[in-house]
């Protein structure tokens, strides 16, 4: 499959889906939903220039290290966390979880009901809802130390999830904005179909094709754990590494239940491929 990718016989999208499947990710499990990368860093320009390297996200770094300042803060947390917590890691939140998936797809059923169920029966506070591609990127890459989310496959083929066709009452933000359709970058001209088209072109671009292996190393490969992960600022709470935990040696049912609940709510690292 990798040779087919090198020869351009399959798309980057198809290769990522293949890797997700090998790693145990599935559309049938919100807790292990397929994970895709943010590929762009430009959500403000009027036109999208796919020949400019600065248009793209740094695929060699996890979302927690997209800016130097943010990277240093997570390194500091890693160095200090052992003084306060039992687990040393860079991130106590995950890049893919049931709530992240449902929040992206909240405007479509059955994800609407799933999201509300995960939120205790109602929508979240409007300011925390997924309402803008640009603000979500800024949160995950720069502003929010509790947010390192990546994307889902739908960002590259499904324009419908970006519109509030069912007219759900998603609430009103503090600045008075009523939530409806997802706010798109200027280069999409307010058209979800154009956003998906250009976003897919970005995924299949020469730049992403040349650097995608770096992101794959972080999510599915050797930089997933161990010393390579530490060096790459890519370590997560031990509970996220579900397939590396020996539950048979955990005798206390309360502790076992707590760990499983943690994985269920906050995410799980894909199996290494």
């Amino acid at each position: 499959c990798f040779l087919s990718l090198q020869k351009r016989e399959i798309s980057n999208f198809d290769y990522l889906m293949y890797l997700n499947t090998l790693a145990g990710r599935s559309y049938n499990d919100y807790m292990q939903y397929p994970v895709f990368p943010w590929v762009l860093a430009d959500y403000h320009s009027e036109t999208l220039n796919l020949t400019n390297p600065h248009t793209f996200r740094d695929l060699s770094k996890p979302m927690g290290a997209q800016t130097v300042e943010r990277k240093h803060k997570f390194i500091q947390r890693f160095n200090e966390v052992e003084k306060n917590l039992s687990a040393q890691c860079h991130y106590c939140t995950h890049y893919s979880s049931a709530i992240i998936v449902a929040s992206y797809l909240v405007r479509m059923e059955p994800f609407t009901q799933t999201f509300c169920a995960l939120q205790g029966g109602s929508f979240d506070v409007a300011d925390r809802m997924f309402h803008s591609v640009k603000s979500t990127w800024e949160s995950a890459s720069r502003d929010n130390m509790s947010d390192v989310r990546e994307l889902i496959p739908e960002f590259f083929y499904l324009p419908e999830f970006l519109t509030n066709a069912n007219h759900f009452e998603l609430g009103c933000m503090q600045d008075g904005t009523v939530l409806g359709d997802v706010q798109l970058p200027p280069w999409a001209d307010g058209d979800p179909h154009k956003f998906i088209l250009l976003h897919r072109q970005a995924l299949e671009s020469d730049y992403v094709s040349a650097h995608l292996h770096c992101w794959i190393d972080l999510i599915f490969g050797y930089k997933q754990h161990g010393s390579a992960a530490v060096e790459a600022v890519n370590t997560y709470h031990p509970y996220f590494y579900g397939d590396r935990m020996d539950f048979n040696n955990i005798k206390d049912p309360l502790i076992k239940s707590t760990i499983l609940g943690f994985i269920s709510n906050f995410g799980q690292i894909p199996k290494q491929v």
Side-chain angles (χ1 to χ4, degrees):
C1 190
F2 179 70
L3 290 176
S4 297
L5 181 69
Q6 285 186 316
K7 296 177 181 179
R8 298 294 180 95
E9 294 175 353
I10 65 171
S11 65
N12 290 335
F13 181 91
D14 288 337
Y15 186 61
L16 287 173
M17 285 303 301
Y18 174 73
L19 288 177
N20 271 283
T21 301
L22 286 180
R25 315 295 284 192
S26 168
Y27 282 118
N28 297 321
D29 186 349
Y30 293 165
M31 293 180 291
Q32 297 193 77
Y33 208 77
V35 55
F36 269 60
W38 289 93
V39 293
L40 293 173
D42 183 354
Y43 298 97
H44 57 271
S45 298
E46 293 295 327
T47 58
L48 191 63
N49 183 0
L50 297 181
T51 63
N52 183 357
H54 296 293
T55 297
F56 298 90
R57 166 255 182 103
D58 188 341
L59 289 162
S60 70
K61 296 180 175 65
M63 290 302 292
Q66 288 298 305
T67 69
V68 174
E69 181 183 3
R70 185 167 152 102
K71 175 182 176 181
H72 288 330
K73 286 181 179 179
F74 281 119
I75 292 175
Q76 184 179 10
R77 172 189 286 178
F78 181 89
N79 292 333
E80 294 180 352
V81 73
E82 62 182 349
K83 302 175 184 177
N84 307 306
L85 302 172
S86 60
Q88 189 176 34
C89 61
H90 294 107
Y91 314 114
C92 296
T93 54
H94 199 250
Y95 51 76
S96 177
S97 66
I99 192 64
I100 290 174
V101 172
S103 69
Y104 280 144
L105 301 174
V106 68
R107 292 164 177 79
M108 298 175 57
E109 291 287 13
F111 302 99
T112 310
Q113 296 303 315
T114 299
F115 181 83
C116 289
L118 291 170
Q119 283 293 125
S122 62
F123 292 120
D124 197 0
V125 175
D127 288 83
R128 292 201 297 257
M129 296 280 286
F130 172 52
H131 66 277
S132 161
V133 177
K134 178 176 180 287
S135 65
T136 302
W137 159 255
E138 291 173 348
S139 172
S141 66
R142 186 188 71 196
D143 296 339
N144 188 345
M145 291 290 285
S146 297
D147 184 5
V148 292
R149 80 186 76 176
E150 293 279 8
L151 299 183
I152 55 176
E154 285 82 353
F155 272 84
F156 301 94
Y157 70 82
L158 189 68
E160 287 77 12
F161 87 97
L162 298 166
T163 62
N164 188 21
N166 292 314
H167 305 291
F168 293 120
E169 294 184 3
L170 302 173
C172 181
M173 298 174 64
Q174 290 185 0
D175 64 4
T177 302
V178 177
L179 265 59
D181 297 344
V182 175
Q183 296 173 14
L184 302 175
W187 45 259
D189 296 326
D191 182 351
H193 290 83
K194 184 174 182 180
F195 172 83
I196 295 295
L197 175 65
L198 292 175
H199 205 217
R200 182 64 176 268
Q201 287 178 0
L203 178 64
E204 305 299 339
S205 66
D206 289 341
Y207 179 90
V208 172
S209 295
H211 297 85
L212 187 57
H213 67 282
C214 299
W215 182 83
I216 291 171
D217 287 340
L218 294 169
I219 306 300
F220 302 106
Y222 79 102
K223 292 183 180 180
Q224 198 187 71
H225 61 88
S227 59
V230 174
E231 185 177 348
V233 193
N234 192 45
T235 66
Y236 296 81
H237 192 285
Y239 288 174
F240 291 143
Y241 299 86
D243 64 329
R244 293 184 173 275
M245 298 197 67
D246 187 358
F247 289 100
N248 293 324
N249 287 332
I250 301 175
K251 305 303 181 183
D252 189 325
L254 181 59
I255 294 177
K256 183 180 293 188
S257 175
T258 299
I259 295 174
L260 291 173
F262 190 98
I263 294 170
S264 174
N265 288 319
F266 296 105
Q268 186 171 351
I269 300 291
K271 294 178 182 177
Q272 191 175 34
V273 296

